[in-house]
DNA sequence: CAAAACCGTTGACTACACTCCATGGTTTTA
DNA sequence: TAAAACCATGGAGTGTAGTCAACGGTTTTG
């Protein structure tokens, strides 16, 4: 699909999609059978963009995401993939725990508000 | 306590602590009974710094955190605190869910690696 | 077939959250 | 008491993740 459709479906801007492509997080091919310069984004890029969003929410930087997707895509880099993944998973677990602890504070604040507005 | 001790105990740099203070997220008082310009950070600032870290992991910006702490500190701003808190709590819940979904992908990747290294 | 809508490229710009450096003063310590 | 360690202030600089504007070309649509 073309970038406009991908932008609409993913909820990201064209600029962001191009930015991710420049960074090597996603890839496109020249549109088939047309002499323009338009790029064609495979369907699975949509899923990839979704993963990128979730990874960011989990605390991954784009550099981290690039390592991970490069790993998925079979380009085993010159680093210990298993160690990287183990360490990152641990980080994510800690992040989630901390976010949950914070959520509880937030919910307690809300609850106290409902009992006694602005107490 | 002085900023050096606070930095050591919190794991943050002096610069970060001063930055948070400039941003209005924490407060200090002049050190008592001394004619220097040193600042004294109350004990509870440590806890506050911990909350700030967790809030960031939950996806809060410093501006969000400032609103929340201003709210806690009783300076009820000119905004609907309850609405803000409700919306933010919902955002955090979604963030956590997305992070958890991502964590599962990560763990699946790790698991498949342990079964069949680089398959 | 013309206007509107879309596309790619380049490069500058922005917001956020720090981080560093220089300067000069104050405490602590050996 | 001198050196080392600490402190405050101001301002500049950094990295990350986008975002915007301008240009000219291509497709789609009424």
């Amino acid at each position: 699909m073309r970038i406009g459709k991908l932008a609409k479906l993913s909820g990201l801007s064209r600029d962001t999609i191009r930015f991710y492509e420049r960074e090597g997080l996603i890839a496109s091919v020249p549109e088939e059978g047309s002499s323009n310069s338009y790029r064609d984004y495979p369907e699975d890029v949509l899923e990839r963009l979704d993963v990128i969003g979730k990874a960011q929410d989990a605390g991954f930087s784009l550099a981290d995401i690039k390592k991970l997707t490069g790993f998925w895509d079979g380009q085993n880099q010159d680093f210990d993939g298993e160690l990287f993944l183990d360490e990152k998973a641990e980080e994510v677990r800690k992040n989630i725990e901390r976010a949950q602890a914070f959520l509880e504070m937030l919910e307690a604040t809300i609850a106290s508000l409902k009992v006694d507005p602005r107490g």
Side-chain angles (χ1 to χ4, degrees), chain A:
Chain A
M1 74 185 83
R2 309 229 265 232
I3 197 169
K5 191 176 172 195
L6 183 60
K8 201 152 256 172
L9 292 178
S10 68
L12 299 173
S13 72
R14 290 172 179 76
D15 278 334
T16 297
I17 292 170
R18 292 211 183 89
F19 174 68
Y20 287 169
E21 189 167 6
R22 274 202 302 288
E23 296 292 304
L25 300 180
I26 57 172
S28 64
V29 294
E31 205 176 52
E32 194 146 355
S34 71
S35 58
N36 60 27
S37 58
Y38 291 8
R39 310 240 89 210
D40 181 63
Y41 293 83
E43 297 294 322
D44 60 11
V45 169
L46 246 180
E47 196 191 345
R48 176 60 57 95
L49 290 176
D50 185 59
V51 172
I52 291 172
K54 291 190 168 103
Q56 286 183 313
D57 284 345
F60 265 46
S61 68
L62 294 185
D64 289 335
I65 297 169
K66 186 173 179 183
K67 276 195 198 172
L68 176 63
T69 56
F71 192 78
W72 279 343
D73 297 348
Q75 312 145 207
N76 201 351
Q77 289 103 317
D78 50 356
F79 76 101
D80 185 340
E82 191 166 344
L83 181 60
F84 171 71
L85 295 175
D86 277 342
E87 286 176 350
K88 277 294 164 181
E90 188 52 33
E91 267 182 47
V92 172
R93 277 187 287 268
K94 283 196 177 120
N95 261 284
I96 291 174
E97 272 177 35
R98 289 159 57 78
Q100 278 167 337
F102 176 70
L103 178 59
E104 282 173 29
M105 294 184 227
L106 211 50
E107 288 173 338
T109 302
I110 293 169
S112 74
L113 253 188
K114 310 231 166 178
V115 169
D116 177 12
R118 207 62 278 235

